[in-house]
């Protein structure tokens, strides 16, 4: 399901929003934590200093320290507090020493000291646990608030990006339709938004339109050339029929004329297939008998194996065209033995040559590409015609290389019992 796909764009955007939210919360939390900590330290220092000044005045007036104030010698002071006290100057800072004693998790004290006589020091110690606990509570509150915000932000980001995802999915589906041959498919403007997706959609639509115009021009050119060739070709065929039968040149001319006539017919057939003018006329056909008869009429040394062949509702003329092209291609570009196997509604044609080239297996048949070294790389028109006729039939024509070597073409017809 696309909604639960973790690689979907919505979840990437949601993750980005969550990361941004966490980053902002971390910065704000750090600043608040630091400011609160500094404020707590200042409050503790001010409270300790206030008590220390009051105790000093009480001691100067009465000669006794308040009950909650310790009187110690320098040797009895903690080392950090004694060092700070030694650095104090009564003339400039009153001689007050402050030291924050931290020993997590349970020891937080603010110490204050001032000398009031020979080796007599008033010592104040304030518990800072309340400030520390308040700071810890603030940190936990920040973390809980961030988690609560993420619970709200992540689904919201996923929902907000749904219109973008919908537009992208529509564009992807349309692009696949165009790639499958539906050149009339268009993405369309997709609303009033004028963003990068709109620009991409317009570019894809422009590309599809240009491709459609180009293919239509090529189709018309192919059809026009084939039609224009038919008239002079018929004249050549008629003239060749008047040549003496016993001349070697006569046989050569007639053979080349037959090849040229076959090429023109293939071009006309391809132009009709491209135009979508071909329609199948379905009839119940005993597939095994049809294929055996077609192979026999090719006049080639081809073995036919008929297994549990079915009676299939199909167009026999188009099946014949496909089988002839596959068998001819196997003999022309493969090696003997060539075998045709009919099983159920499936026809398999296999030779024992070098097999189909990788580009045919990857991209399918392409016009005027044969794969034969004497004609350059490619597959000619025969396989292209066979592919087009199989699409008219609603069948599936696949190309593969057999495990034991050789090319294997398989035609799967939609079986319907008569």
């Amino acid at each position: 399901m696309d909604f639960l796909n973790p690689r979907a764009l919505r979840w990437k955007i949601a993750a980005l929003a969550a990361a941004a939210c966490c980053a902002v919360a971390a910065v704000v939390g750090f600043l608040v934590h630091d400011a609160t900590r500094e404020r707590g330290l200042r409050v503790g220092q001010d409270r300790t200093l206030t008590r220390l000044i009051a105790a000093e005045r009480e001691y100067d007036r009465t000669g006794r320290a308040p009950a909650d104030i310790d009187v110690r010698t320098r040797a009895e002071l903690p080392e950090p507090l004694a060092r700070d006290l030694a650095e104090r100057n009564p003339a400039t800072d009153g001689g007050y020493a402050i030291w924050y004693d931290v020993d997590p998790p349970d020891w937080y004290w603010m110490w204050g000291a001032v000398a009031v006589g020979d080796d007599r020091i008033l010592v104040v110690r304030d518990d800072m646990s309340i400030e520390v606990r308040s700071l810890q509570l603030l940190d936990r509150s920040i973390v809980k608030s961030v988690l609560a915000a993420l619970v709200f932000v992540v689904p919201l980001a996923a929902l907000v990006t749904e219109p973008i995802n919908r537009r992208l999915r529509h564009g992807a589906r349309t692009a696949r339709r165009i790639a499958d041959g539906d050149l009339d498919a268009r993405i369309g403007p997709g609303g009033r938004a004028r963003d990068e997706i709109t620009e991409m959609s317009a570019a894809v639509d422009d590309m599809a339109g240009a491709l459609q115009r180009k293919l239509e021009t090529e189709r018309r050119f192919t059809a026009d050339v084939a039609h224009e060739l038919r008239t002079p070709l018929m004249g050549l065929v008629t003239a060749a029929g008047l040549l003496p039968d016993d001349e070697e040149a006569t046989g050569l001319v007639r053979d080349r004329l037959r090849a040229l006539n076959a090429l023109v017919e293939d071009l006309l057939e391809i132009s009709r297939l491209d135009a979508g003018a071909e329609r199948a006329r379905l009839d119940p056909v005993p597939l095994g008998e049809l294929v055996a008869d077609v192979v026999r009429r090719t006049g080639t040394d081809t073995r036919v194996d008929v297994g549990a062949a079915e009676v299939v509702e199909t167009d026999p003329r188009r099946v014949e065209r496909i089988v002839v092209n596959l068998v001819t291609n196997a003999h022309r570009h493969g090696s003997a033995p060539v075998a045709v196997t009919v099983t159920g509604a499936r026809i398999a044609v296999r030779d024992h040559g070098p097999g189909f080239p990788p580009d045919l297996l990857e991209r399918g048949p392409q016009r005027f590409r044969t794969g034969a070294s004497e004609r350059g790389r490619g597959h000619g028109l025969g396989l292209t015609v066979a592919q087009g006729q199989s699409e008219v039939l609603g069948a599936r024509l696949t190309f593969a290389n057999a495990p034991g070597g050789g090319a294997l073409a398989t035609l799967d017809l939609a079986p319907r019992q008569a």
Side-chain angles (χ1 to χ4, degrees):
M1 185 176 180
D2 183 69
F3 186 80
L4 300 178
N5 181 13
R7 297 183 179 180
L9 182 61
R10 62 163 60 87
W11 295 118
K12 293 180 180 179
I13 295 177
L16 181 61
C21 181
C22 291
V24 172
V27 172
V28 173
F30 174 78
L31 295 176
V32 171
H33 174 92
D34 191 63
T36 304
R37 180 178 178 278
E38 292 296 328
R39 179 179 175 276
L41 289 176
R42 286 196 302 270
V43 170
Q45 290 173 355
D46 291 343
R47 186 171 62 241
T48 301
L49 189 59
T50 299
R51 290 183 60 198
L52 196 59
I53 292 174
E56 183 184 24
R57 291 175 180 174
E58 177 74 17
Y59 187 86
D60 290 342
R61 188 174 65 253
T62 63
R64 295 195 306 264
D68 58 341
I69 304 298
D70 292 338
V71 179
R72 301 186 183 185
T73 64
R74 289 185 182 273
E76 295 173 335
L77 295 179
E79 192 275 332
L81 183 62
R83 185 173 60 252
D84 187 43
L85 183 63
E87 295 174 354
R88 296 296 175 177
N89 186 351
T92 57
D93 52 25
Y96 302 109
I98 300 294
W99 172 52
Y100 186 36
D101 185 12
V102 179
D103 187 12
D106 300 320
W107 188 274
Y108 304 96
W109 296 95
M110 185 68 71
W111 293 72
V114 62
V116 292
D118 294 338
D119 205 26
R120 294 178 65 82
I121 299 171
L122 299 180
V123 177
V124 174
R125 189 176 66 165
D126 275 337
D127 189 359
M128 296 289 292
S129 297
I130 295 178
E131 285 76 7
V132 173
R133 299 293 182 268
S134 297
L135 183 61
Q136 293 173 346
L137 181 61
L138 175 64
D139 292 342
R140 284 195 293 269
S141 299
I142 292 175
V143 172
K144 290 179 181 178
S145 300
V146 171
L147 294 177
L150 289 178
V151 171
F152 175 76
V153 167
V154 172
L156 180 62
L159 291 176
V160 169
T161 56
E162 179 56 26
I164 298 176
N165 293 330
R166 191 181 303 116
R167 293 168 63 193
L168 290 174
R169 288 196 299 270
H170 172 65
R173 287 194 297 267
T174 304
R176 280 193 288 268
R177 288 172 56 193
I178 295 172
D180 291 338
D182 184 5
L183 298 181
D184 292 324
R186 296 292 184 272
I187 298 176
R192 294 174 293 179
R194 293 295 180 266
D195 52 18
E196 291 82 356
I197 298 179
T198 303
E199 295 179 5
M200 181 196 69
S201 301
V204 172
D205 288 346
D206 292 342
M207 178 193 68
L211 179 62
Q212 187 177 32
R213 290 189 295 272
K214 181 179 179 181
L215 292 178
E216 181 63 23
T217 300
E218 292 182 354
R219 186 193 66 79
R220 285 198 301 267
F221 175 77
T222 301
D224 292 344
V225 167
H227 279 292
E228 291 297 326
L229 285 175
R230 293 190 83 176
T231 300
L233 181 60
M234 290 303 100
L236 288 174
V237 171
T238 302
L242 301 176
L243 295 175
D245 293 337
D246 56 351
E247 295 288 339
E248 182 179 353
T250 300
L252 179 61
V253 169
R254 290 176 178 174
D255 178 70
R256 293 298 86 196
L257 283 175
R258 283 192 294 269
L260 182 57
N261 185 64
L263 175 61
V264 171
E265 293 300 326
D266 284 345
L267 288 173
L268 287 172
E269 188 170 357
I270 286 176
S271 67
R272 291 194 299 269
L273 291 171
D274 287 344
E278 295 286 292
R279 296 291 183 271
R281 299 182 60 179
L282 304 181
D283 294 303
V285 177
L287 193 60
E289 297 178 13
L290 172 65
V291 172
D293 181 63
V294 169
V295 173
R296 179 182 56 78
R297 284 188 281 112
T298 62
T300 59
D301 184 15
T302 303
R303 187 179 76 251
V304 179
D305 297 323
V306 178
E310 299 180 358
V311 175
V312 179
E313 190 173 342
T314 187
D315 189 328
R317 185 183 67 84
R318 299 184 191 280
V319 173
E320 176 182 351
R321 190 81 169 100
I322 295 170
V323 172
V324 168
N325 283 1
L326 294 179
V327 171
T328 302
N329 185 82
H331 281 283
R332 181 177 300 167
H333 304 298
S335 299
V338 175
V340 178
T341 304
V342 184
T343 306
R346 175 177 298 176
I347 305 170
V349 179
R350 178 186 176 183
D351 62 53
H352 288 75
F356 290 119
D359 58 336
L360 185 146
L361 298 177
E362 180 180 355
R363 292 186 289 271
Q366 300 177 51
R367 300 173 189 182
F368 297 109
R369 296 177 63 85
T370 63
S373 58
E374 68 275 10
R375 294 179 55 187
R377 298 179 61 81
H379 325 121
L381 289 177
L383 295 184
T384 305
V385 171
Q387 184 75 60
Q389 293 291 6
S390 69
E391 293 173 0
V392 174
L393 289 174
R396 183 168 178 261
L397 180 60
T398 58
F399 303 95
N401 288 328
L408 175 64
T410 305
L411 177 66
D412 286 324
L413 299 166
R416 291 183 184 143
Q417 298 293 339

